[in-house]
């Protein structure tokens, strides 16, 4: 059968895989346990000799259906879902790395990923932070014990775009795992496999779920990395196709040992949300373009950070790789203006920490999500005290523009 498009594949995936009574949505299976008529079958499932479900912490049919959708969206070969995006990141890295290993990471990071790298350092896993907008900085940081390179597609909150293609080539040359956080672009704007990513994480909480009503995370294997070169794969997982050794260890160690499993109700919400991802994302990108054009020429705005502006240092890169520019942008205000006052004058835009919702959300980043990291690290990430990050939703653009006009007048 010919490969179908993004929308079609996603909308019809549940119906085409084991349709119970012809249902179009995968059922929500609340069962934690699975019974077997023949006890030998249960043993075979445990030993991986037969496909099947053993226990809800490792597998659930509703969650499996969502994993399959994400695999299709990311053009990967397998996906494991977790309770949150952070669970996907931490379970993956804890499953794959050991004390004495080294990671090269973009310095421009989601705050909690940055915080988790602090935890890894306490466990003896070394992390070097670099400006990943230029692959030369990544190359310069690689050491003999480097196992993995981690980048985000569009970074929070200043919207730097990693040198995704060249870092992919570098990882390939050096035999490193290339781990890409695709949350900000979502598989609608970008599939990291095209730049050689080995593993892709998505916070499903954000654009894929899209409605701020369920938490979730996933890690997708693209099949591009040869895990027989990765010496941390345990002997028991060095079986069968080496392309799958990494994701098998993530599934077994990550879900079984750490146990941050996605629940079936959340998986259902996320799957339904994912059906409109392209519609929501395109509309939110359109709104973001209008708002950033407005902010960029506003006398009370010092800087507008958005890849869609031709003045953005990686504008061309975003255009080539993503075809659009995302729905996250940040501004910092003219000296003397207070970010709290500006936010409080908004009517439609909600002061809130989430992103990727259908509603437009805004947050004063230095005082909230980047507060704990302190002024020095904030300055190194280009985060001013007056910075506000917006996650643009799908409201009527006139209403959003009216909010910005009112709020920025002083
Ligand atoms: C939100 C986010 C995460 C973490 O996802 P949660 O589902 O909130 O745990 C990871 N990476 C990026 C880029 C994010 O925006």
């Amino acid at each position: 059968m010919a490969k179908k498009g993004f929308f079609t594949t996603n909308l019809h995936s549940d119906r085409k895989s084991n349709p119970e009574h012809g249902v179009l949505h995968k059922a929500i299976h609340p069962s934690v346990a699975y019974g077997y008529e023949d006890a030998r079958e249960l043993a075979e499932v445990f030993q991986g000799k037969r496909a099947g479900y053993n226990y809800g912490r490792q597998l659930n049919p509703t969650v499996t259906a969502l994993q399959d959708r994400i695999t299709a969206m990311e053009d990967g070969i397998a996906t494991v879902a977790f309770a949150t995006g952070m669970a996907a990141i931490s379970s993956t890295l804890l499953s794959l790395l050991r004390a004495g290993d080294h990671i090269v990471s973009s310095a421009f990071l989601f705050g909690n990923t940055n915080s988790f790298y602090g935890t890894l350092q306490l466990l003896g896993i070394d992390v070097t932070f670099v400006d990943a907008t230029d692959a030369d900085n990544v190359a310069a940081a690689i050491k003999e014990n480097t196992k993995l390179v981690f980048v985000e597609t569009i970074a929070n909150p200043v919207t730097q775009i990693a040198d995704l293609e060249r870092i992919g080539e570098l990882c390939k040359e050096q035999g490193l795992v290339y781990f890409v956080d695709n949350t900000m672009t979502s598989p609608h704007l970008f599939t990291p496999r095209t730049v050689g990513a080995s593993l892709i994480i998505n916070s499903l909480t954000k654009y894929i779920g899209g409605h701020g009503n369920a938490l979730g995370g996933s890690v997708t294997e693209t099949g591009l990395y040869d895990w027989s070169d990765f010496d941390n794969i345990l002997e028991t997982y060095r079986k069968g196709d080496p392309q799958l050794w990494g994701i098998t260890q993530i599934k077994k160690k990550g879900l079984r040992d750490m146990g941050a499993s996605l629940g079936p109700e959340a998986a259902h919400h996320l799957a339904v949300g994912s059906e409109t991802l392209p519609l929501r994302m395109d509309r939110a990108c359109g709104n973001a373009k209008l708002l950033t054009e407005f902010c960029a020429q506003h006398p009370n705005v010092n800087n507008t950070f958005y890849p869609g502006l031709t003045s953005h240092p990686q504008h061309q890169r975003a255009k080539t790789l993503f075809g659009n520019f995302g729905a996250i942008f940040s501004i910092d205000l003219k000296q003397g203006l207070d970010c709290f006052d500006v936010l409080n004058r908004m009517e439609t835009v909600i002061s809130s920490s989430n992103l990727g919702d259908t509603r437009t959300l805004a947050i004063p980043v230095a005082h909230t999500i980047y507060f704990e990291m302190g002024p020095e690290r904030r300055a190194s990430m280009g985060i001013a005290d007056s910075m506000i990050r917006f996650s643009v939703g799908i409201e009527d653009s006139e209403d959003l523009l009216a909010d910005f006009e009112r709020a920025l007048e002083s």
Side-chain angles (χ1 to χ4, degrees):
M1 223 179 359
K3 197 169 167 192
K4 301 260 191 332
F6 188 103
F7 261 118
T8 315
T9 308
N10 197 32
L11 289 167
H12 293 267
S13 60
D14 284 353
R15 177 170 77 83
K16 300 225 157 161
S17 66
N18 289 322
E20 300 117 25
H21 319 294
V23 294
L24 305 188
H25 285 281
K26 190 74 186 172
I28 301 173
H29 291 282
S31 194
V32 166
Y34 306 87
Y36 288 85
E37 291 291 324
D38 179 348
R40 279 187 201 87
E41 279 185 23
L42 175 62
E44 283 168 13
V45 168
F46 263 83
Q47 292 167 25
K49 292 178 183 149
R50 162 193 288 272
Y53 294 86
N54 50 7
Y55 183 60
R57 183 162 12 86
Q58 282 106 282
L59 266 184
N60 171 285
T62 318
V63 175
T64 306
L66 176 67
Q67 291 176 163
D68 292 346
R69 279 189 187 220
I70 295 162
T71 300
M73 286 190 223
E74 285 290 9
D75 196 18
I77 60 169
T79 295
V80 181
F82 291 88
T84 64
M86 278 318 300
I89 294 174
S90 58
S91 303
T92 297
L93 294 176
L94 290 169
S95 303
L96 293 178
L97 300 174
R98 297 181 185 181
D101 289 343
H102 175 242
I103 300 175
V104 179
S105 169
S106 168
F108 313 126
L109 276 184
F110 177 64
N112 297 164
T113 305
N114 181 70
S115 152
F116 177 65
Y117 282 146
T119 305
L120 285 185
Q121 284 166 320
L122 295 174
L123 295 173
I125 295 164
D126 188 19
V127 186
T128 304
F129 294 103
V130 297
D131 175 351
T133 60
D134 183 346
D136 290 348
N137 298 328
V138 176
I142 292 172
K143 303 199 265 189
E144 208 182 317
N145 56 344
T146 305
K147 284 283 196 314
L148 181 145
V149 176
F150 183 93
V151 298
E152 295 177 6
T153 52
I154 304 179
N156 220 322
V158 186
T159 72
Q160 299 95 334
I161 295 165
D163 194 352
L164 292 157
E165 269 181 306
R166 284 183 57 228
I167 297 171
E169 288 160 13
L170 180 70
C171 287
K172 187 162 186 219
E173 269 165 37
Q174 307 269 336
L176 301 174
V177 175
Y178 186 19
F179 195 11
V180 177
D181 183 337
N182 197 29
T183 301
M184 290 297 197
T185 23
S186 90
H188 173 53
L189 295 187
F190 184 55
T191 41
R193 189 183 195 282
T194 56
V195 294
S198 333
L199 294 172
I200 303 162
I201 100 104
N202 279 286
S203 167
L204 307 176
T205 317
K206 312 292 174 53
Y207 292 103
I208 292 180
H211 297 74
N213 62 347
L215 292 157
S218 63
V219 56
T220 299
E221 166 68 62
T222 61
L224 295 181
Y225 184 74
D226 183 355
W227 291 93
S228 55
D229 292 341
F230 196 80
D231 39 353
N232 291 353
I233 301 293
L234 300 171
E235 205 46 50
T236 65
Y237 308 129
R238 293 181 165 271
K239 279 184 206 122
D241 185 351
Q243 282 183 316
L244 290 166
W245 293 358
I247 197 86
T248 303
Q249 182 156 313
I250 293 164
K251 184 162 78 183
K252 300 283 185 182
K253 292 272 119 192
L255 284 177
R256 207 168 57 194
D257 298 5
M258 286 156 250
S261 321
L262 182 66
E265 290 83 3
H268 170 72
H269 284 305
L270 296 167
V272 173
S274 78
E275 293 179 359
T276 54
L277 169 66
L279 296 174
R280 288 183 282 104
M281 196 87 204
D282 288 345
R283 181 161 164 114
C285 290
N287 277 343
K289 184 167 185 292
L290 284 175
L291 294 175
T292 51
E293 282 165 1
F294 175 80
C295 290
Q297 52 73 44
H298 199 288
N300 284 336
V301 176
N302 244 356
N303 285 301
T304 305
F305 302 96
Y306 182 60
L309 296 171
T310 50
S311 56
H312 187 286
Q314 292 95 36
H315 172 72
Q316 204 50 46
R317 183 178 289 165
K319 196 167 174 179
T320 312
L321 291 177
F322 312 147
N324 209 330
F325 304 101
I328 298 291
F329 75 92
S330 296
I331 58 174
D332 40 64
L333 303 169
K334 206 180 81 179
Q335 186 90 39
L337 285 182
D338 185 289
C339 58
F340 295 101
D341 293 340
V342 168
L343 284 169
N344 290 343
R345 279 197 289 269
M346 293 198 155
E347 286 175 6
T348 303
V349 177
I350 309 164
S351 291
S352 171
S353 64
N354 191 21
L355 59 88
D357 199 309
T358 45
R359 299 155 194 85
T360 301
L361 310 177
I363 188 159
V365 289
H367 310 273
T368 55
I369 49 178
Y370 292 98
F371 183 71
E372 198 181 295
M373 91 183 16
E376 259 167 50
R377 184 77 204 283
R378 279 202 296 276
S380 78
M381 290 175 75
I383 301 173
D385 283 350
S386 71
M387 182 176 280
I388 304 173
R389 182 197 73 195
F390 295 92
S391 166
V392 182
I394 62 170
E395 294 95 338
D396 299 288
S397 48
E398 312 81 79
D399 295 327
L400 294 175
L401 273 171
D403 241 22
F404 275 71
E405 273 165 21
R406 188 177 37 250
L408 288 170
E409 244 169 52
S410 59

